[in-house]
Amino acid sequence: MSRQSFLPFAARRLGHALVVILLAYSFTFLIISVLPGDPVSNMLLDPENGFTEEEIAPIIAHYGLDRPVLEQWWRAISRFALGDLGISLRASRPVSAMLLEALPSTLVLAGTAMLVALLLALAIAYASQSLPRRWGQGVARVLPALSLSVPSFVIGLVLIQVFAFQLGLFRITDPNGAAATVFAALALGIPVSAQIAEVLIANLDHEAGQEYFAVARARGLRLSQLFARHQLRPSALPVVTMIAVSIGELLGGSLITETIFGRKGVGSLVQSAVVTQDFPVLQSLVSLAAVVFVLVNLAADLLYPLLDPRLRRRAAAGRPA
Amino acid sequence: MSATTFSPAGRRGRVGAQPLAVLLSFAVLALVVGWSAAPWLFTGNDPFFGVTARKLLPPSAEHWLGTDHLGRDLYARIVHGTWSSVTSALIATVIGLAVGGLLGLASGFLGGWVDTVIGRLIDMLLAIPNFLLAVVIVSAFGFQTINVAIATGVASVAVFARLMRSEVMKTSTAVFVEASALAGGRPAHVLLRHVLPNAYRSVVALAVLQFGTSILTIAGLAFLGYGDPPPAADWGLLVANGKDYPSSPWLVFAPAAVIVVTVLAINRLSRWIRHAA
Amino acid sequence: MPPDAPLLEIRDLAVAYGPQPAVQGVDLTLRDGGSLALIGESGSGKSSIVRALCGLLPAGARLRGTILFQGQDLLSLAPARLRALRGRAIGFVPQDPQNALNPVRSIGAQAQEAARLLDLPDAAARRRRILEIFARVGLAEPARIYDAYPHELSGGMLQRVLIGLAMLPGPALIVADEPTSALDVTIQKRILDLLATLQAELGIALLLITHDLAIAAERAQDVVVLKEGRVQEQGTSQDVFRRPRSAYARQLQADVPALNPERFRAAATRRHGDDDAIRVDGVHKRFHAGTGIVQAVQDVSFRVPAGTTHALVGESGSGKTTLVRLLLGLERPDRGSITVGGGPVQAGQPDSLRALRRELQLVYQNPFTSLDPTWTVGGIIGEPLDRYAVGRRGDRPARVVEALRAVGLAEELLRRRPGALSGGQRQRVAIARALILRPRVLVLDEPTSALDVTVQAGIVEMLFRLQAQLGLTYLFVSHDLALIRQIADSVTVLRQGQVVEQGPVAQIFSRPRAAYTGLLLDSIPRPAAAAREAVLLDQGGED
């Protein structure tokens, strides 16, 4: 893609991404702050929590709960845009500090899970094309559908039951150990790998039915060359799309996985924020998840022209119908 | 010109197995419907009262799937928990289908600024990870199974809207749609008689698939304790309760297996709908 | 390999995908340096034979028989040796060049794959050889082509690249599977010429698969005629065209317009009206495509007297499709005016267009996309009656049946859906739908180009019977000049949106003034002189 056509394309996509982030923040704000009365006052006024009138007033003022909703929204989103994530109601600490504490563990978990997911998906996809037809391929093709029918918490519990309790490969009392991390990543990564594998297999099959695949085969290529150059390479674009979309799956799934494996991380932070109704934390974390999702997908979009030469001059070479 | 078509790799060989798997899936679904409609026909045991002395018994002829920590019959609890687990997934699917379907239809058929606005809304819903979106909604509305169902439904709106939009746009540009306009068809006629009938099959397939996914999501939310509290017997909640007794693994695996088999059957039926000629 | 053994000998070949065999008991031989054409329509099994030979059958297919190539039985060879033999000794030229190269890899990268079978020291040496071959197959800028991606080249250039790739390892046999059916006629001729030159100069044998009898007659020494997986007839092309023995070969030969200049002329007799049914005056249309502007139609004018047939001829990009869409009011011209039956075509005015379309209907090129798969045949044909509320509701079914009979279909088809119909039946349904409102003008956009030649013959005859009965005016869009010569009264030749020349068919075809028209006419395949003579003798016709 020439520079003249790439820059406007990138700028347009960036603007689009900002709009989506803004909307996602506002939507979360709407759900949390407007619909069922406002949760902060609910909590403060709950007699069980034992706040006095004098304590309540400054907090209400701090959150601007005495102002019109639109103004509250504006204040919240301005702060968010400036990187101020607010203060936890329960821990009385800045959300950003809590997030920074929790982030490394979750990044390690999600990164390992994505790696595991990619390796598994690739292995299953290769098996689906190269194994003997009736049994080998059949099994490889059923696996993704099967693992997509298993709740992720069940995968986690089975891994713990088998590999921690029966085989003793890791201890759940040390959730951040290397072995425990790998198994947690498996629990998180298996559903993601199944999604990627389904897309990959569908695309590999599609490529295998293309005329250029037949022509390359007639050229005398080996199966592994055919797979890499004429099946996998043309499938890269939909797979990158799927990987970018499954970032959301990883972020949402970390909630359950971290809870089951007893890890401290962003997911368990969300879980405790939900249980304690700590809405500033919840609002920030969910909005940040949306930001991550949007940015990853933006990166994927900007990558497409590299993966498919036909997209490089989409603007330049229009053809008549 | 040569119309000799070659079946894509992998189709052949499963042709013979297909009807059996589909029949089994229908049987599983029938059993699940039976469990939710008339649980008392399938078990004589009380799901809510147990004999504490008979707690944590392994599966036996008397208690097919064993008993839990209060001595309650697990099979009875699973059967009686079906209604709530399945109906909430159904409610979620209907919400997603109705709201998402209408948004996608309007977006795809009207185009222009309507499409732009709805398109951004869909992008926004997609940007918030599904499970987190459901979690936020449930925590704002309160921990109840009905709220879990609504939250799961809202979280699935985007998927339906996106598919409906692309199906409608694909069909709207089909040659036979233009042919209908040439035959004097006005837009409403074209939409109702040509576009929708051709778009509905993949949307129905998605709805069935999403029904299975909703069962999983709702089980996940129940597992985290966001649904009705015990003694409710939602499948996800049964697994969550069972995991505290690692020496009685059936408490986890029996309800888990029920979830897996149900979702597997539903997914198989979705694939069958998508490919049926 | 004994000295006199043929290069390729197929004995008793059978291919099956499901329970039904696709190919049965096929024998054929091809000698070193010879040329053989496999002729057949869709479902004839010709592609299955090629795919069996090139090892491209899908995994579920079952094979029987022997394929002897250079004395070795391909079907009993170990996979690795087979792969190498095929890559080196058999070059494959596919049907649709636009789809035959991997779109995300450069031409050079794919050429390197083919060149790796040669004993060349390094990639640079291979590149030199590739560029030589590209020049040999008539590609003007080999280095630019080498670096290009498939989507940057035209169909004709891609087909030359593919022929070059097939030639690269120095094969003994080139298998060309309908190598020109996706290309424009003028390019078709050049590609066939190239294959013939390579065959003659380098002594490479050619196995040509085609549905086009005229091409086979012109380009191959021997022919094999296939139908439903069985050989109907084989021999030298001279014999088969001079004395077709099988009924199917006779029918095929009779239905090809290029072989039978008089085939449809009798059908196309009609009453001439006095007024113009269609008037197109100085029409311009341009489209914005990306950053550029495409002048799709530029200052086109023509008139069609009522009751006659006017042909629009042109290759891809000529603007004929845009012109059809302008005529139907599906696009609005930038300048100029169009009237049909005295009334103006006003794009963007739904009521005016609705009224217009009672007089003007369209038959689409591809009957596989123009019929709603969820509707029944009866519903499809009756749709215009219901939409325009023609007559009483109770009378409409009778009119639908009448229309169905008029296009030569049986009443049993009423309840079928398009999926259960053949291509020819679908196109008849589409014609019935177009005619049920009794319009005066019918636009036929390549109505037979997606169909087999024997099916085409039936539909063309039916169309002109209806024209004579109903006094219809036809605007017939086609690229098949041999057909147009027989059926049209007047013709407009289009190129890149402009009129190259227009006038009565007799004059344009016998004394073309524009060089481009001459080029088009030259591209009509001419069977080898002897065969052609035979055809003319048999029919007692003259040129």
Side-chain angles (χ1 to χ4, degrees), chain C residues 300-339:
Chain C
V300 171
S301 307
F302 61 83
R303 288 161 187 222
V304 184
T308 68
T309 300
H310 183 79
L312 288 181
V313 181
E315 300 183 287
S316 44
S318 64
K320 53 191 202 291
T321 303
T322 306
L323 212 46
V324 165
R325 298 184 65 80
L326 289 168
L327 194 70
L328 285 150
L330 294 168
E331 302 281 354
R332 189 201 304 269
D334 298 331
R335 264 194 284 152
S337 69
I338 300 174
T339 56

Side-chain angles (χ1 to χ4, degrees), chain C residues 343-363:
Chain C
V345 177
Q346 293 171 303
Q349 298 190 13
D351 291 333
S352 154
L353 284 178
R354 258 178 76 86
L356 168 78
R357 286 169 187 157
R358 289 204 61 166
E359 302 297 328
L360 172 69
Q361 280 288 322
L362 170 70
V363 175

Side-chain angles (χ1 to χ4, degrees), chain A residues 4 18 32 37 42 52 73 114-115 123 170 193 244 251 258 279 321:
Chain A
Q4 300 95 299
L18 289 177
I32 289 179
N42 285 351
T52 64
W73 168 78
M114 185 49 97
L115 194 68
F170 68 101
S193 81
L251 294 171
E258 288 180 352
F279 286 102

Side-chain angles (χ1 to χ4, degrees), chain A residues 17-31:
Chain A
L18 289 177
V19 170
V20 171
I21 289 174
L22 186 86
L23 282 172
Y25 186 91
S26 310
F27 186 65
T28 319
F29 183 87
L30 183 80
I31 293 171

Side-chain angles (χ1 to χ4, degrees), chain C residues 105-171:
Chain C
R105 303 181 68 223
S106 70
I107 304 274
Q110 301 183 61
Q112 285 281 350
E113 280 176 2
R116 213 148 285 172
L117 293 167
L118 297 167
D119 300 319
L120 289 170
D122 54 13
R126 288 196 291 267
R127 182 172 185 273
R128 277 195 300 279
R129 175 66 65 83
I130 291 165
L131 295 187
E132 276 170 36
I133 291 277
F134 280 180
R136 181 74 188 75
V137 296
L139 289 164
E141 297 171 89
R144 186 178 74 81
I145 304 278
Y146 185 91
D147 292 326
Y149 284 94
H151 70 278
E152 296 167 329
L153 306 181
S154 70
M157 287 160 96
L158 287 173
Q159 197 59 297
R160 283 177 196 272
V161 167
L162 285 157
I163 293 173
L165 294 192
M167 302 287 307
L168 202 50

